[in-house]
Amino acid sequence: MTLSASLKALLVAAALSGCVSAHAETFRLPEGLVLEAPDDLEITYQNVPAYDASKKVIVGWDNGKLLYLIDVTRLPQGANDAGRYLERLLMDIGGNSVGQAVNVRSKGQYPAIGGLAGHYVDYRFVPTGRERAQHQVAHFLTDARVSFTVFVSVVDVAGTGRALKDSVALLKTAALTLPPQARATAIPEAASRPAATSADMALVGRWTASRKLSDSLTVETLTELKSDHSFSGRGTFNGQTVVEYSGTWSSDGKHIDWNYLHSAPPLQERYRQDQDTIVSFDGQRLVVQSRESGVTRSLARSD
């Protein structure tokens, strides 16, 4: 969820594309949240193609100057532990930062009017391979059944003092927008949970995939799917790590949905969400086909 400083000019140029301005207006997000924009915030809800051409984000302004972007993502069912999620997030960011260091400025909690509990961490870090620090605020909203992550990325240094204050003020107005029927599907009653959980739990573990490019060149990936619906992994080239990644996952037994939250080197926005179709699965071997690339991969359990 890092935002390159080189995108700043593109963001400003694209910022007026398809925007909806807000002063005390209501945002109904497709992720399942409704937000009431406070009177004193100058924010828009719009596409910013340089950030993500297919998804709208909330953009913070100050007299026409773009300050920050707010990106909301709904987490898979069962990923409701705010403390654990934010702790792992900081560990992942630290692993992809210069000196493996993250400067945590503050942490806190707040209630939202719709019955959601908000948790946040405000931090700065220098992404690997860069010289300039990135300032972000990560929020975790949950009612213990449905959870969301909200990443605030500062674009202009003038937004450093506003990112936390503005985002907390906005997210305190958060409420769920799911209609009762959709909410019943998204948040099953206890009686219907075991089947979905067992389908997910069958995939929990460490999985490897290996491919020989030639007699002397081998590419291998190791991915661990965890029971809290987070995942992490790495890719190696002849035994040397060339990519590391982490995020959240979910499965309905026929597909696996991937939401990449962090990777080094960084993924383009369009590749951060992917879905694999499960071609076959016998408990020890998993064959999947990627929706994005069309590539079929065979993974072996390595627990």
Side-chain angles (χ1 to χ4, degrees):
M1 287 293 178
T2 64
L3 181 66
S4 170
S6 65
L7 290 181
K8 180 179 174 182
L10 289 174
L11 289 169
V12 173
L16 298 180
S17 170
C19 65
V20 177
S21 63
H23 284 286
E25 292 190 13
T26 301
F27 294 155
R28 295 186 178 275
L29 308 188
E31 290 78 15
L33 282 180
V34 58
L35 302 171
E36 300 289 343
D39 289 334
D40 59 344
L41 294 190
E42 184 184 352
I43 57 177
T44 57
Y45 181 51
Q46 62 183 88
N47 284 112
V48 180
Y51 180 75
D52 189 329
S54 62
K55 180 182 181 181
K56 287 186 176 181
V57 294
I58 297 168
V59 184
W61 304 86
D62 182 13
N63 293 320
K65 178 189 290 186
L66 191 154
L67 299 182
Y68 53 77
L69 301 177
I70 300 178
D71 190 351
V72 179
T73 299
R74 182 173 168 184
L75 292 174
Q77 179 186 327
N80 302 319
D81 189 331
R84 184 171 183 178
Y85 178 90
L86 293 176
E87 180 181 359
R88 291 188 59 85
L89 171 69
L90 292 175
M91 291 177 60
D92 289 342
I93 292 174
N96 297 319
S97 303
V98 173
Q100 297 190 334
V102 180
N103 175 20
V104 176
R105 296 157 54 95
S106 64
K107 296 180 180 181
Q109 301 180 29
Y110 55 90
I113 61 173
L116 296 160
H119 307 255
Y120 75 83
V121 57
D122 184 341
Y123 55 91
R124 290 170 63 91
F125 66 104
V126 180
T128 301
R130 301 181 191 169
E131 297 180 356
R132 299 183 62 180
Q134 172 70 53
H135 178 198
Q136 290 184 324
V137 182
H139 297 263
F140 191 102
L141 289 173
T142 185
D143 69 349
R145 298 173 301 170
V146 179
S147 300
F148 306 84
T149 55
V150 183
F151 283 88
V152 187
S153 296
V154 174
V155 177
D156 191 288
V157 66
T160 300
R162 294 271 304 273
L164 176 59
K165 178 183 176 182
D166 289 5
S167 58
V168 169
L170 177 63
L171 295 175
K172 280 185 175 180
T173 72
L176 293 172
T177 60
L178 294 175
Q181 183 177 1
R183 191 175 300 177
T185 302
I187 314 165
E189 294 300 325
S192 65
R193 286 176 185 166
T197 301
S198 63
D200 282 356
M201 292 305 101
L203 295 170
V204 168
R206 292 159 61 89
W207 297 91
T208 60
S210 181
R211 184 160 59 100
K212 273 201 166 189
L213 302 181
S214 69
D215 288 341
S216 59
L217 299 177
T218 302
V219 176
E220 186 176 54
T221 60
L222 172 64
T223 303
E224 182 177 4
L225 304 184
K226 303 179 181 68
S227 59
D228 64 355
H229 291 90
S230 66
F231 71 86
S232 61
R234 65 179 185 272
T236 62
F237 186 76
N238 276 7
Q240 195 158 38
T241 299
V242 293
V243 62
E244 295 180 314
Y245 48 86
S246 62
T248 59
W249 69 280
S250 63
S251 176
D252 60 3
K254 297 180 180 179
H255 306 88
I256 304 175
D257 291 295
W258 306 94
N259 178 31
Y260 290 84
L261 297 177
H262 294 282
S263 64
L267 283 173
Q268 295 181 24
E269 290 300 321
R270 61 170 293 193
Y271 297 121
R272 289 191 174 183
Q273 271 93 36
D274 195 9
Q275 182 183 81
D276 283 343
T277 297
I278 298 176
V279 178
S280 64
F281 174 55
D282 65 5
Q284 296 301 313
R285 187 162 294 276
L286 172 65
V287 179
V288 296
Q289 182 178 44
S290 168
R291 178 187 62 189
E292 180 66 37
S293 66
V295 172
T296 298
R297 295 173 297 134
S298 179
L299 299 93
R301 191 180 287 278
S302 65
D303 296 350

